[in-house]
């Protein structure tokens, strides 16, 4: 499968593939749509981070189980927090802490030596940790210095320089007023002056890669007393508002629409946002802004709340329950919970794995993270690509990728003497758009073509044998290939004119 490149291709009016991209970006995402082996959880995953060969997972779960195990079997206790091998997906048996509340967010330090965890908990292994804790990735031990007293839920975490920024529903940190956003030193654990003072919940937070500014997302209407609906760019040391023209991408709330920012991902000179809306047709999509200027770069208006965005190899992967994307698929094709977007313009790319959605949110993917060459996805799903897999899954750049669907029996016609035309509906491949079709007369290849298709646009493929022996009965079938897999359909017969 062609994971290392994208094809410049218009399907249904949507550009799929390569458009002029920022120079720093790679040429392709390089992940298969085939889910790799990973352990599962018995309830939703809400936080993910990858560091030093391990994947740290937090959420609502109390038990984990191996891949393939059905719910309620072969379980191992893990209260709201667990770690797994990045390379195999297996449980890290040495990382086992007892928390007394849900984990909502996890972030790794840039050098991978620590992971920070936020949520509803107030104890870790019996020690006081009021909604934030840190762990040493080498030893798995709690970090003594990181123990702020946060008065209520921590929903989002980000590291920038020597600051740990966090957001949520709280009003006090160490007894000092910090409304829904605050920061502590990653060195001493001391409360920092950073104080955006949001008037409602902060769901997402991220610092620019150079820590030049910090982005907030949520359901707030003001920051430091100034109107800023759902998204803001603020100073990294004070929390003061910065100009951010791209914020206009999020519509102001109305009686029929309330759209809030659920996730933020900074990558080089771009920052990407995920939105979820209440109300028919309310903005549910993704958008990108320039870090330096604050200007909007693009806006994608897919409908179906977007919960998570993660950049892998310079390409943007998103978790949502998209049911309609203008210019591509419309309502009636079902929910598409995992999609890939071109970071240059937001158009969809060739990567179509899928999950379902389960309780309690019935949303599907809720969080994602990458170790650089993989994508980990957590949420409330119970199936991935139709197979049982609860709470957690991963995708890698290993293996030959997805197999195209087999072509049906061809419909044969005789357009002229000594000619036979064979027509089939285009096949689908979850990580390739452009496939090669071959027409076989018996075992001999007599025609070849390449055709592009996606689940929302499946043209008819016609191949013609112009050297068919007149007056004979011949059997034809069609083969489809993505470069790694070749799949053949059945034979149909015809008497040649």
């Amino acid at each position: 499968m062609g994971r290392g490149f994208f094809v410049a291709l218009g399907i249904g009016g949507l550009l799929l593939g390569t458009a002029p991209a920022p120079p720093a970006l790679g040429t392709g995402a390089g992940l298969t749509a085939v889910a790799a082996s990973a352990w599962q959880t018995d309830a939703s995953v809400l936080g993910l981070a990858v560091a030093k060969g391990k994947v740290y997972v937090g959420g609502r779960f109390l038990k984990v189980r191996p891949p393939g195990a059905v719910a309620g079997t072969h379980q191992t206790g893990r209260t709201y927090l667990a770690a797994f091998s990045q390379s195999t997906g297996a449980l890290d048996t040495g990382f086992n802490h007892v928390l007394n509340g849900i984990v909502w967010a996890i972030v790794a330090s840039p050098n991978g030596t620590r992971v920070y965890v936020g949520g509803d908990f107030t104890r870790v292994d019996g020690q006081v940790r009021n909604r934030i804790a840190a762990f040493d990735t080498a030893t798995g031990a709690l970090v003594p210095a990181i123990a702020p007293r946060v008065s209520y839920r921590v929903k989002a975490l980000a590291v920038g320089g020597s600051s740990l920024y966090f957001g949520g529903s709280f009003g006090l940190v160490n007894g000092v007023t910090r409304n829904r956003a605050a920061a502590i030193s990653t060195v001493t654990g001391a409360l920092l002056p950073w104080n955006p003072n949001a008037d409602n919940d902060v769901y997402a937070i991220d610092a620019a890669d150079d820590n030049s500014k910090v982005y907030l997302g949520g359901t707030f209407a003001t920051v430091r007393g100034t109107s800023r609906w759902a998204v803001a760019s603020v100073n990294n040391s004070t929390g003061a508002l910065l100009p951010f023209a791209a914020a206009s991408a999020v519509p102001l709330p109305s009686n029929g629409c309330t759209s809030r920012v659920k996730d933020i991902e900074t990558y080089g000179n771009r920052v990407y946002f995920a939105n979820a809306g209440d109300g028919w047709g309310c903005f549910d999509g993704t958008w990108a802004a320039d870090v330096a200027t604050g200007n909007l770069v693009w806006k994608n208006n897919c409908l179906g709340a977007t919960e998570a965005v993660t950049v892998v190899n310079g390409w943007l992967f998103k978790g949502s329950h998209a049911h309609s994307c203008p210019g591509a698929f419309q309502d009636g094709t079902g929910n598409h919970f995992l999609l890939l977007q071109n970071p240059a313009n937001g158009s969809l790319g060739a990567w179509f794995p899928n999950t379902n959605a389960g309780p309690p949110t019935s949303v599907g993917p809720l969080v994602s993270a990458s170790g650089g060459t993989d994508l980990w996805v957590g949420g409330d799903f119970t199936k991935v690509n139709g197979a049982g897999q609860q709470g957690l899954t991963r995708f890698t750049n290993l293996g030959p990728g997805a197999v195209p669907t087999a072509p049906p029996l061809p419909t044969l016609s005789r357009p002229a003497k000594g000619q036979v035309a064979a027509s089939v509906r285009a096949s689908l491949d979850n990580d390739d758009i452009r496939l090669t079709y071959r027409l076989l007369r018996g075992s001999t290849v007599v025609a070849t073509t390449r055709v592009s298709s996606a689940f929302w646009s499946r043209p008819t493929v016609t191949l013609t044998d112009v050297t068919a022996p007149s007056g004979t009965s011949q059997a034809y079938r069609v083969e489809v290939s993505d470069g790694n897999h070749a799949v053949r359909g059945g034979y149909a017969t015809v008497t040649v004119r």
Side-chain angles (χ1 to χ4, degrees):
M1 75 51 106
R3 303 192 302 276
F5 60 91
F6 277 69
V7 182
L9 170 69
I11 295 182
L14 179 68
L15 179 68
L16 296 176
T18 306
L25 297 179
T27 56
L31 299 184
T32 79
V34 177
S37 176
W39 273 52
Q40 309 172 72
T41 60
D42 71 344
S44 303
V45 168
L46 306 171
L48 282 172
V50 184
K52 298 292 186 180
K54 296 179 183 180
V55 180
Y56 296 86
V57 179
R60 302 179 187 273
F61 57 86
L62 297 175
K63 293 179 174 64
V64 297
R65 65 185 188 273
V70 299
T73 67
H74 305 288
Q75 297 184 123
T76 300
R78 287 294 186 273
T79 54
Y80 309 112
L81 182 66
F84 303 91
S85 166
Q86 182 186 356
S87 60
T88 68
L91 178 66
D92 180 348
T93 58
F95 187 83
N96 185 11
H97 295 277
V98 178
L99 284 70
N100 69 341
I102 292 171
V103 169
W104 286 93
I106 306 178
V107 69
S109 61
N111 63 7
T113 59
R114 285 184 186 177
V115 289
Y116 300 90
V117 177
D120 292 339
F121 56 86
T122 58
R123 296 289 188 276
V124 178
D125 300 333
Q127 299 186 49
V128 175
R129 288 295 187 277
N130 283 300
R131 300 170 182 97
I132 286 181
F135 298 90
D136 185 299
T137 57
T139 66
L142 270 170
V143 178
I146 306 301
R149 302 188 311 278
V150 186
S151 63
Y152 197 57
R153 176 174 299 163
V154 171
K155 192 76 161 39
L157 297 166
V159 178
S162 60
S163 298
L164 175 67
Y165 303 100
F166 53 98
S169 309
F170 53 86
L172 298 171
V173 179
N174 295 347
V176 179
T177 299
R178 287 290 189 273
N179 288 316
R180 303 174 182 88
I184 61 172
S185 166
T186 59
V187 178
T188 66
L191 181 65
L192 297 175
W194 190 76
N195 184 17
N197 192 26
D199 72 332
N200 212 326
D201 288 0
V202 171
Y203 291 158
I205 194 165
D206 204 8
D209 287 357
D210 61 1
N211 199 33
S212 60
K213 55 197 68 175
V214 180
Y215 299 96
L216 307 176
T219 57
F220 49 82
T222 67
V223 173
R224 287 203 167 190
T226 300
S227 295
R228 286 294 187 277
W229 172 251
V231 65
S233 172
V234 301
N235 180 275
N236 68 340
S237 59
T238 66
L241 278 165
L242 298 175
F244 192 46
S248 62
V250 182
L252 295 175
S254 66
N255 289 336
C257 172
T258 302
S259 180
R260 77 277 294 170
V261 169
K262 299 299 290 290
D263 196 17
I264 304 171
E265 172 86 335
T266 57
Y267 186 84
N269 62 356
R270 295 281 168 86
V271 54
Y272 304 94
F273 297 85
N275 267 71
D278 293 335
W280 182 252
C282 191
F283 180 49
D284 279 331
T286 51
W287 49 289
D290 184 273
V291 170
T293 66
N295 293 332
L296 185 68
V297 178
W298 54 259
K299 179 179 178 179
N300 180 290
N301 289 303
C302 289
L303 293 175
T306 306
E307 300 287 336
V309 286
T310 296
V311 175
V312 184
N313 292 338
W315 293 87
L316 186 67
F317 292 80
K318 81 166 188 169
S320 70
H321 57 272
H323 55 83
S324 173
C325 280
F329 58 90
Q330 301 300 320
D331 285 328
T333 63
N335 293 109
H336 305 280
F337 293 96
L338 293 170
L339 292 170
L340 170 66
Q341 293 184 267
N342 186 326
N345 56 25
S347 61
L348 300 188
W351 190 74
F352 305 114
N354 213 359
T355 73
N356 67 347
T361 67
S362 297
V363 169
L366 296 170
V367 65
S368 55
S370 176
T373 58
D374 54 9
L375 178 72
W376 289 78
V377 180
D380 60 13
F381 50 84
T382 59
K383 292 185 178 180
V384 178
N385 291 337
Q389 179 70 25
Q390 186 176 2
L392 182 67
T393 189
R394 67 185 179 114
F395 300 90
T396 72
N397 59 2
L398 304 176
V403 179
T405 57
L409 261 64
T411 299
L412 302 178
S413 62
R414 303 176 298 170
K417 185 176 180 179
Q419 294 187 15
V420 174
S423 297
V424 294
R425 190 184 189 196
S427 295
L428 294 178
D429 188 305
N430 279 346
D431 42 30
D432 286 284
I433 290 175
R434 196 163 177 82
L435 301 172
T436 298
Y437 296 82
R438 298 180 179 88
L439 178 62
L440 288 86
R441 184 205 316 142
S443 59
T444 303
V445 176
V446 293
T448 302
T449 190
R450 297 191 74 198
V451 174
S452 302
S453 61
F455 63 82
W456 64 85
S457 178
R458 297 180 66 179
T460 297
V461 179
T462 299
L463 302 103
T464 303
D465 177 9
V466 297
T467 61
S470 295
T472 64
S473 178
Q474 299 291 336
Y476 291 89
R477 66 177 174 177
V478 174
E479 173 192 276
V480 61
S481 172
D482 62 1
N484 285 318
H485 307 280
V487 182
R488 292 178 175 181
Y491 280 108
T493 59
V494 67
T495 299
V496 185
R497 286 172 56 186

